[in-house]
């Protein structure tokens, strides 16, 4: 009797152990299987993308008609490009729908910027280092298209620009805004006094036309003279010491400066002063004039001014 019970217990233990082993193997196999299966990305069809676009526009409407224009490839994903035309005529509009996210874009720059932001390897998009900023480039190309179309964007500080010059302008604007001297450009006179700790030092401005000189408010600070307009805003900063800005400094030749900043707006003899050459750069609403005694000589000074188009 005891032997029978013992044999039964041993047999039961073996069954349980065997089942446990099999279950363990099944569980282990299932876990391994799950780890090797990547989540499938749901891709919108053209019809679903069109529905997403119409919904984003406010639903079915008689004010416009939407039709697929072409498809494009952005990384590994497909982007649907739609043409939207008003039922009453007018210019057509191009809209974009990402096939994987279903997100609608009314501007290609917004789409490309989103793609750049989610990338973990942003260095692969690096276009060039300009002054003290990075400019990135990202593009998307149409597919199955008789005439390939490219949408591209240049990215600076998480903002997208349509061309390289605009991107460089953004780097310059950022640089000027953070520069200890040039960052005072456009500031109100009381703010400049507070930042610099310097008092006003009025200066006489010589009328180059020989009519009548006039007095303007001025603050001298760290190798620069900051001038204010009638509304007491800093609209001119004159630098005549070896102050460094925009990756260059006073004492560089025109060629050395253009090697950093690119081609200038102009280089010419100064119309008002003999033996003075002027090289001018224009960045949106700011212009910078570099002065030298000859075309190949070292620069002696620079003037940062509001761009009035002259």
């Amino acid at each position: 009797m005891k032997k029978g019970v013992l044999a039964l217990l041993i047999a039961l233990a073996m069954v349980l152990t065997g089942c446990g082993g099999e279950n363990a193997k099944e569980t282990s196999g299932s876990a391994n299987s799950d780890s090797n299966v990547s989540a499938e990305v749901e891709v919108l069809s053209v019809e679903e993308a069109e529905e997403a676009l119409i919904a984003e526009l406010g639903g079915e409407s008689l004010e416009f008609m939407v039709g697929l224009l072409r498809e494009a490839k952005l990384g590994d994903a497909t982007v649907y490009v739609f043409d939207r035309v008003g039922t009453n005529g007018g210019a057509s509009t191009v809209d974009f729908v990402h096939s994987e996210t279903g997100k609608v874009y009314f501007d290609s720059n917004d789409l490309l910027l989103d793609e750049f932001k989610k990338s973990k390897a942003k260095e692969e998009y690096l276009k060039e280092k300009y002054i003290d900023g990075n400019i990135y480039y990202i593009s998307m190309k149409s597919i199955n298209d008789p005439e390939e179309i490219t949408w591209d964007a240049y990215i600076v500080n998480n903002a997208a620009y349509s061309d390289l010059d605009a991107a460089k302008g953004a780097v310059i604007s950022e640089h000027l805004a953070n520069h200890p001297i040039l960052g005072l450009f456009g500031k109100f006179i009381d703010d400049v006094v507070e930042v610099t700790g310097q008092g006003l030092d009025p200066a006489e401005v010589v009328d180059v036309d020989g009519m009548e000189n006039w007095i303007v408010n001025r603050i001298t600070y760290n190798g620069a003279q900051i001038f204010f307009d009638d509304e007491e805003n800093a609209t001119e900063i004159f630098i005549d010491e070896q102050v460094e800005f925009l990756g260059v400094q006073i004492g560089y030749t025109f060629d050395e400066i253009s090697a950093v900043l690119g081609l200038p707006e102009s280089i010419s003899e100064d119309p008002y002063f003999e033996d003075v050459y002027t090289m001018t750069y224009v960045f949106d609403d700011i212009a910078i004039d570099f002065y030298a005694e000859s075309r190949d000589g070292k620069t002696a000074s620079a003037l940062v001014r509001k761009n009035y188009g002259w």
Side-chain angles (χ1 to χ4, degrees), residues 255-277:
D255 288 342
E256 288 173 329
I257 292 173
S258 62
V260 176
L261 297 181
L263 293 177
E265 187 79 9
S266 64
I267 299 179
S268 62
E269 293 185 66
D270 194 281
Y272 298 107
F273 303 100
E274 294 183 2
D275 301 324
V276 174
Y277 277 75

Side-chain angles (χ1 to χ4, degrees), residues 220 222-225 237-243 250 299-303:
T220 301
N222 286 355
Q225 299 176 59
I237 299 179
F238 182 74
I239 302 171
D240 58 359
E241 294 186 16
Q242 287 189 323
V243 174
I250 305 305
T299 51
S301 59
L303 177 66

Side-chain angles (χ1 to χ4, degrees), residues 78-146:
T78 297
V79 173
Y80 298 116
V81 185
F82 290 94
D83 184 46
R84 174 163 46 98
V85 182
T87 53
N88 295 324
S92 64
T93 302
V94 176
D95 304 319
F96 307 85
V97 180
H98 196 291
S99 67
E100 294 183 0
T101 65
K103 189 169 180 179
V104 175
Y105 299 88
F106 301 114
D107 188 302
S108 62
N109 278 357
D110 294 337
L111 167 61
L112 294 170
L113 182 59
D114 262 7
E115 182 73 11
F116 173 78
K117 285 181 176 179
K118 73 179 184 182
S119 171
K120 296 180 180 179
K122 291 181 172 55
E123 289 304 309
E124 69 180 271
Y125 297 110
L126 183 63
K127 174 69 174 178
E128 64 177 277
K129 292 182 177 292
Y130 181 64
I131 305 177
D132 52 2
N134 291 336
I135 297 178
Y136 300 91
Y137 175 80
I138 183 171
S139 64
M140 173 178 70
K141 297 182 183 295
S142 62
I143 55 177
N144 303 322
D145 204 343

Side-chain angles (χ1 to χ4, degrees), residues 171-226:
V171 173
I172 289 170
S173 295
E174 183 76 10
H175 175 91
L176 295 180
N178 293 315
H179 193 274
I181 296 175
L182 302 189
L184 300 172
F185 186 86
K187 301 289 187 184
F188 187 65
I189 192 168
D190 290 348
D191 296 328
V192 177
V193 169
E194 182 179 354
V195 170
T196 63
Q198 303 297 313
L200 295 179
D201 176 26
E204 182 178 15
V205 178
V206 178
D207 188 347
V208 293
D209 295 321
M211 300 294 288
E212 183 179 359
N213 297 349
W214 66 95
I215 302 297
V216 297
N217 282 321
R218 174 182 65 180
I219 289 178
T220 301
Y221 176 67
N222 286 355
Q225 299 176 59
I226 305 167

Side-chain angles (χ1 to χ4, degrees), residues 46-67:
V46 173
E47 292 75 18
E48 290 170 329
E50 183 174 328
E51 289 175 3
L53 173 58
I54 292 174
E56 186 72 18
L57 291 168
E60 294 289 347
S61 172
L62 298 177
E63 296 180 359
F64 58 82
M65 296 180 294
V66 171

